[in-house]
Amino acid sequence: MTVHDIFETMDYGPAPESASEARAWIAGHGGVFGHWIGGRFTAPGDLFETRNPATGEVLAQVTQASEADVARAVRAARRAQPGWAALGGHGRARVLYALARIMQKQSRLLAVLETLDNGKPIRESRDIDVPLAQRHFYHHAGMAQLMDSELPDREPLGVCGQIVPWNFPLLMLSWKIAPALAMGNTVVLKPAEYTPLTALLFAELSAEAGVPPGVINIVTGDGAVGEMITGAKVDKIAFTGSTAVGRRIREATAGRGLSLTLELGGKSPYIVFDDADLDSAIEGIVDAIWFNQGQVCCAGSRLLVQEGVAERFHAKLRARMGNLRMGDPLDKCIDIGAVVDPVQHETITRMVEANTEGERYVAPIQVPSIGCYYPPTLITGLTPAATLMQEEIFGPVLVSTTFRTPAEAVEMANNTRYGLAATLWTENINLALDVAPKLAAGVVWINATNLFDAAAGFGGVRESGFGREGGWEGLSAYTRPKTRGAVLRRVMPFTGSGAPLDPLDRTAKLYIGGKQARPDGGYSRAVHGPKGALLGHVSLANRKDVRNAVEAMNGARGWARTTGHARAQILYYIAENLSARRAEFAARIRALTGGDGESEVEASIRRLFTYGAWADKFDGQAHGVPIRGVALAMREPVGKIAALCADEAPLLGLVSVIGPAMAMGNRVLAVASEAFPLAATDFYQILETSDVPAGVVNILTGSHEKLAPHLAAHLDLDTVWSFSSSDLSRLIEEKSAGNLKRTWVNNARATDWATAEGRLWLDHATEVKNIWIPWGE
Ligand code: NAD
C-alpha cells in the first residue's frame, strides 16, 4: 500500500500489541497451573484447558479443584484471618496500597493476558478493566485506613467465598477482593473456567505486594467448584454471574447464617428521547452494547427510541455499525473482539435464530473466519414482550423498539424482571431528573453509559440481585455488627380456659388497605393471659389475606413519592395518638405478657419519634467520581416490605419495623407477634386516627410458620424481614429465591429491642441508586 492509498482510504493500519511477555509468564509456569493456596501454587491436579477465543489456541492448562482442594483453601483462609484482621486498618491499608501499586507496575502484562484469555480488545483491557481494578484497590486501601474511625461498630465476617464470571475476570476479582480484605476478611475466590489466568497472575503478584499467606486463595475450575465453595464452611458468599445460578446459590445458602450478595444479569434499557443529541447517543449505544462484545451485565441491550426520531436514529446507527472494526483483540485499533468461547457463540446464535419477529440488521463488516466472532447485530420492530426484549442475550445483539411519551418510556423500561442499569439521553435536564428516579435500576446514566468507579456502588434490584459493590454501601456486606444476640427461644402463647375479661369480647380483625377485614379463611383463635384469662380472639390470616394485603400495598404507591417532611408528620402523629392512649396500651401489654407495659409503650413512642426524626434526614450522597460531573447516590425505598414481628416485645417489635419502613417511603405488611397479637390489633386503631394513607401499613395476625412461606414466595413483595421467635430463617431465605427478593432474618438470634433502631434499619429499608450526571458542553 502506498502513502497515496492510505490518504485515499484513511483506514487504520494494524497496531498489534505484543503478547510475548504474557506468553513468557505462562511458559515460566510450564503452561500448567495448580491453585494458589496459603501463599503458593499447589501441584497441578486434574487439568483442563483455557483457550484464546480469538484463535482457538490453547493458552495453558489449569486445575479443576476437588473438594479437598477447596477445603484446604478454606482452611488456609481461616487460619490467616485473625492475623489479617489484627493487622489493623492502617496495616491492611498499606498492603492494599502495595497491591494497587504492583498492579499499576504490571498493568500491561495484566491487560495483555486478559485479552488473550477473554478475547476482549486490548483497548478495553488496557484502558478500562485494569485501571478500574487498580482504582478499586486504591479506594479500598482508604476504606481499610478509615474502618476503625468510621465503622467502629462493625467487624469482619471471616472467610469469604467469592465466585466471579468471565466477562471482566480481573475487574470482578478486584471488586470482590479489595473490600473483603479492607474490612479484615480473607478470601477463597474462583475465577470462571474460561478465564482463570489473570486471577493466577494476580495471586502471584499479591505475594510480591506483601499479602500474607492464606489471605488470598484462588481455586480454579467450573461450576462444580463454585458449588463446593457455596457448600463450604465460609462466612459469606459473594457471587457475580447469571440469575439462574444466583437463584441456586440463594437456595443452597438458605438458613446457614451466611452473608450473601448476588450481582446477577440484566436487560438494561437505553432510552433515547426526541430532543437527545443523537450523534452522542449513537456513540453511547456503541459503548453500551458493543463494549466487550455485549458480554456486559449492565449492557444497554434494550434500545427504546422516541417515535419521532426512531427512523433517523436507526439510520445513523446502521451507518455507524458499518464503521465498527472487528478482529484480532490484540490490535489496538480494534473495536470488537471475540466472544469468550464457542459455547457462548452458540448461545447467542441460537437465541437470535429462534427469533421470528422484527427486522434483523447485521453490520456489513469483515468478520474473521477463524475464532469466536459474532457480528454486531440490530433487531428493530420488536414488541416489548418478545423473548429477545426480555431475555439477556449476552452478546453483541441490540434489540430495539419505540415509545411515544416519557411515561410510556418508563413503563417499557421497567417491563422486565431485571433491574441492573438504565441509560437515558435527553438535552432536557428536567426530563432526565424526572425519569431517572422512576427507573427500576441500581444505576442510571444520563447522557453517558457504562461509567464505573469504586466510590459509587454498583448493583441491581429485582432479579438482578442484591448488594452493592463499591462505595460505602458495598462495605456493609463485608462486615457485621460487633454485638451478636443470644439464642432466641420460641415464645409460646399462653393457654387457659377462663371466662372472658371483657364480656363484650370481639374477634380482632385483620387490617388491610386501611380497613378492618375479616380473615378469608374465617378462622380465629383465643388469646389468653399468663394466668389463663381469656383476653379475646384474634383472626388467623391465610395466603389469600397476604395477597389482599399486597394488592392494598400496590394501591398505596404514592407513599414513596411523599416528602420526608410529610412522612415525619405522620410518624409524630402516630406517636402522639399512642401517647394519648398509653395507659390502655400498657394495661393491654401487661395483660398479654405479664411484663412491664409502661416501659414498652414509652419505648414505642420514642421509637416513632426516632423515625419521625430520620424521615427527612437519611440522605444520599454526591460522589466525587472521576468524571466531569457527579454520581448522586439516592436513597430509595425498597418498596413493599413484609415483616414477621417479634414475639418478645409485641408493641415495640411492631413499631420497630413499621417506623423505619414508613419513614423511608415503603409500604409494610406486618405480621403481628404470634404469641401476643392483641397489642398490634389495638395499634391499628391508632393508625386509623393518624392520617396514615390506606394500604401503607397492613397488619395480619396468625401463625408465623404458616404465613412465612406465602410472604417469602410472593413474587410481588420486595423484601421479607423476620424477627419471629419461630425459627423461619431457612424457610424464608429458600423461598425468597423465586424473585430473589432481599431478606433480613434473625437466624434464631435475639434482638435487643431497647436499642434496635437507627442506620442499620434505615439501610435495610432503602436501596441506593446511583445516578450519574456528566456536565459541561
Ligand atoms: P454463570 O452464572 O454461568 O457463571 C458465573 C460463575 O459461577 C462462574 O465462575 C461459574 O463457574 C460459576 N458457577 C456456575 N455454576 C455454579 C453453581 N451451580 N454454583 C456456584 N458457582 C457456579 O455466569 P457467566 O455465564 O459466567 O457470566 C455471565 C452472567 O454474569 C450474565 O448473566 C451477567 O449478566 C452476569 N454478570 C453480572 C454482573 C453484575 O455485577 N451484576 C457482572 C458481570 C456479569
Side-chain angles (χ1 to χ4, degrees):
M1 185 180 279
T2 65
V3 174
H4 180 261
D5 291 340
I6 292 171
F7 269 113
E8 277 298 305
T9 61
M10 287 302 278
D11 213 355
Y12 292 96
E17 174 75 32
S18 162
S20 49
E21 299 245 344
R23 289 186 192 284
W25 176 76
I26 295 171
H29 288 272
V32 181
F33 293 86
H35 312 293
W36 180 266
I37 297 176
R40 58 185 189 81
F41 280 114
T42 62
D46 267 352
L47 295 174
F48 66 96
E49 291 168 345
T50 182
R51 291 169 182 266
N52 178 351
T55 59
E57 155 212 20
V58 175
L59 293 169
Q61 303 206 73
V62 293
T63 299
Q64 168 78 9
S66 62
E67 287 277 5
D69 293 331
V70 171
R72 216 170 123 194
V74 172
R75 272 201 307 277
R78 183 69 66 198
R79 265 199 306 274
Q81 197 270 328
W84 177 243
L87 200 56
H90 178 62
R92 294 196 301 276
R94 292 176 83 115
V95 176
L96 286 165
Y97 172 73
L99 261 171
R101 289 286 297 129
I102 202 156
M103 287 171 83
Q104 250 174 340
K105 288 180 204 163
Q106 297 294 352
S107 57
R108 197 52 76 97
L109 176 61
L110 286 163
V112 173
L113 192 63
E114 194 78 304
T115 283
L116 280 177
D117 209 13
N118 170 281
K120 63 173 69 197
I122 183 72
R123 195 167 57 83
E124 293 178 7
S125 48
R126 182 196 61 192
D127 299 344
I128 296 169
D129 294 46
V130 175
L132 274 174
Q134 293 155 9
R135 163 93 181 115
H136 244 74
F137 281 98
Y138 276 120
H139 183 80
H140 285 95
M143 289 300 198
Q145 178 75 22
L146 296 178
M147 184 180 180
D148 300 340
S149 65
E150 299 307 305
L151 303 168
D153 307 331
R154 313 286 296 183
E155 64 180 14
L157 295 166
V159 176
C160 303
Q162 305 184 316
I163 301 166
V164 296
W166 42 259
N167 55 346
F168 293 92
L170 184 70
L171 184 57
M172 294 296 112
L173 169 150
S174 305
W175 282 18
K176 298 241 176 302
I177 291 186
L181 263 52
M183 296 294 103
N185 304 282
T186 54
V187 305
V188 175
L189 178 138
K190 187 191 87 64
E193 50 274 43
Y194 299 140
T195 54
L197 293 181
T198 46
L200 296 169
L201 171 56
F202 171 85
E204 201 174 82
L205 295 177
S206 74
E208 239 181 275
V211 175
V215 169
I216 294 173
N217 303 278
I218 307 283
V219 290
T220 48
D222 59 13
V225 181
E227 273 185 57
M228 292 171 198
I229 295 176
T230 306
K233 284 208 167 82
V234 292
D235 304 293
K236 176 185 173 71
I237 292 291
F239 172 77
T240 298
S242 59
T243 293
V245 174
R247 195 170 275 128
R248 281 220 289 283
I249 292 179
R250 168 69 289 181
E251 285 164 356
T253 52
R256 287 166 50 200
L258 298 189
S259 165
L260 176 67
T261 40
L262 299 174
E263 302 287 348
L264 310 176
K267 188 78 185 176
S268 300
Y270 187 99
I271 310 168
V272 181
F273 288 100
D274 58 8
D275 67 345
D277 169 352
L278 293 190
D279 291 320
S280 299
I282 290 286
E283 289 314 304
I285 193 82
V286 167
D287 205 26
I289 187 65
W290 291 305
F291 172 51
N292 199 17
Q293 295 67 249
Q295 305 164 124
V296 182
C297 52
C298 53
S301 53
R302 213 158 37 105
L303 174 61
L304 309 176
V305 199
Q306 199 155 10
E307 236 172 46
V309 292
E311 210 172 301
R312 200 145 54 93
F313 191 77
H314 286 140
K316 277 177 183 281
L317 181 54
R318 289 193 189 97
R320 181 67 180 88
M321 286 168 74
N323 291 328
L324 292 169
R325 291 169 56 92
M326 177 173 244
D328 178 8
L330 280 172
D331 181 341
K332 294 181 207 105
C333 299
I334 282 300
D335 298 314
I336 302 184
V339 298
V340 74
D341 191 83
V343 170
Q344 186 63 13
H345 194 279
E346 270 164 43
T347 308
I348 301 167
T349 310
R350 195 174 348 103
M351 287 184 80
V352 172
E353 295 307 323
N355 172 62
T356 51
E357 260 189 59
E359 202 180 303
R360 189 192 323 171
Y361 178 78
V362 179
I365 60 172
Q366 255 188 342
V367 177
S369 53
I370 300 173
C372 278
Y373 292 92
Y374 194 95
T377 301
L378 166 70
I379 304 175
T380 50
L382 290 177
T383 54
T387 308
L388 291 190
M389 287 296 276
Q390 293 291 331
E391 298 299 325
E392 191 179 32
I393 304 173
F394 225 57
V397 182
L398 177 66
V399 295
S400 174
T401 192
T402 60
F403 66 88
R404 291 195 188 101
T405 61
E408 199 179 45
V410 170
E411 203 174 308
M412 288 165 90
N414 291 345
N415 179 14
T416 163
R417 61 197 170 101
Y418 296 113
L420 193 50
T423 302
L424 61 99
W425 289 79
T426 167
E427 290 297 287
N428 178 349
I429 189 73
N430 293 324
L431 176 64
L433 294 180
D434 180 42
V435 169
K438 294 178 182 161
L439 298 172
V443 188
V444 177
W445 295 294
I446 294 175
N447 292 333
T449 202
N450 277 340
L451 299 177
F452 309 98
D453 186 56
F458 180 87
V461 296
R462 298 182 174 175
E463 293 189 29
S464 291
F466 43 79
R468 293 288 180 271
E469 299 200 286
W472 288 100
E473 60 268 30
L475 291 182
S476 61
Y478 282 101
T479 60
R480 67 173 162 226
K482 279 183 177 161
T483 48
R484 204 147 172 249
V487 173
L488 180 60
R489 290 232 178 82
R490 174 84 198 268
V491 179
M492 298 304 286
F494 294 119
T495 52
S497 56
L501 278 187
D502 178 353
L504 290 180
D505 162 46
R506 290 170 304 135
T507 301
K509 298 198 185 81
L510 309 173
Y511 184 63
I512 298 176
K515 294 199 192 83
Q516 299 189 22
R518 280 181 211 293
D520 169 72
Y523 284 100
S524 62
R525 79 161 175 91
V527 180
H528 297 275
K531 294 196 178 130
L534 178 63
L535 302 180
H537 287 82
V538 70
S539 304
L540 297 180
N542 66 14
R543 180 178 174 186
K544 180 75 174 27
D545 298 309
V546 169
R547 290 215 304 256
N548 291 343
V550 174
E551 219 168 282
M553 289 159 105
N554 282 335
R557 276 192 191 91
W559 181 248
R561 293 193 295 275
T562 52
T563 62
H565 174 64
R567 295 195 294 268
Q569 299 296 298
I570 290 176
L571 284 158
Y572 288 134
Y573 197 17
I574 300 173
E576 187 186 320
N577 286 329
L578 179 58
S579 183
R581 291 172 63 178
R582 64 206 309 155
E584 185 193 322
F585 270 84
R588 175 65 107 179
I589 293 170
R590 242 186 345 263
L592 277 167
T593 68
D596 177 359
E598 275 83 14
S599 305
E600 188 168 337
V601 175
E602 187 54 38
S604 302
I605 295 168
R606 276 172 177 267
R607 188 129 305 157
L608 288 162
F609 260 73
T610 298
Y611 289 111
W614 270 119
D616 61 353
K617 295 175 191 66
F618 193 57
D619 298 322
Q621 282 185 299
H623 289 304
V625 284
I627 61 163
R628 263 203 314 160
V630 68
L632 297 181
M634 311 278 287
R635 290 269 177 192
E636 295 191 340
V638 169
K640 284 167 280 178
I641 299 177
L644 293 154
C645 296
D647 289 301
E648 59 279 20
L651 181 65
L652 185 57
L654 176 79
V655 162
S656 298
V657 302
I658 291 179
M662 277 183 77
M664 295 297 104
N666 297 283
R667 292 148 280 162
V668 205
L669 189 178
V671 181
S673 154
E674 181 174 344
F676 312 125
L678 297 180
T681 55
D682 291 349
F683 189 73
Y684 60 57
Q685 296 165 12
I686 302 275
L687 297 174
E688 278 170 344
T689 54
S690 306
D691 292 346
V692 178
V696 171
V697 181
N698 305 275
I699 297 178
L700 302 187
T701 48
S703 156
H704 286 186
E705 202 175 314
K706 288 200 177 128
L707 289 171
H710 303 313
L711 301 176
H714 200 298
L715 295 181
D716 200 18
L717 280 169
D718 300 296
T719 184
V720 176
W721 297 352
S722 176
F723 301 100
S724 174
S725 72
S726 304
D727 186 7
L728 301 169
S729 303
R730 181 193 193 96
L731 182 144
I732 290 171
E733 288 186 336
E734 212 167 66
K735 297 265 180 210
S736 70
N739 70 341
L740 286 162
K741 62 174 69 65
R742 289 168 61 170
T743 55
W744 185 21
V745 295
N746 60 3
N747 291 307
R749 297 259 159 200
T751 303
D752 175 6
W753 292 104
T755 58
E757 63 179 23
R759 289 182 182 277
L760 178 70
W761 290 75
L762 297 163
D763 276 336
H764 280 282
T766 51
E767 293 276 9
V768 177
K769 174 187 276 177
N770 273 284
I771 303 179
W772 291 68
I773 312 170
W775 54 55
E777 279 295 309

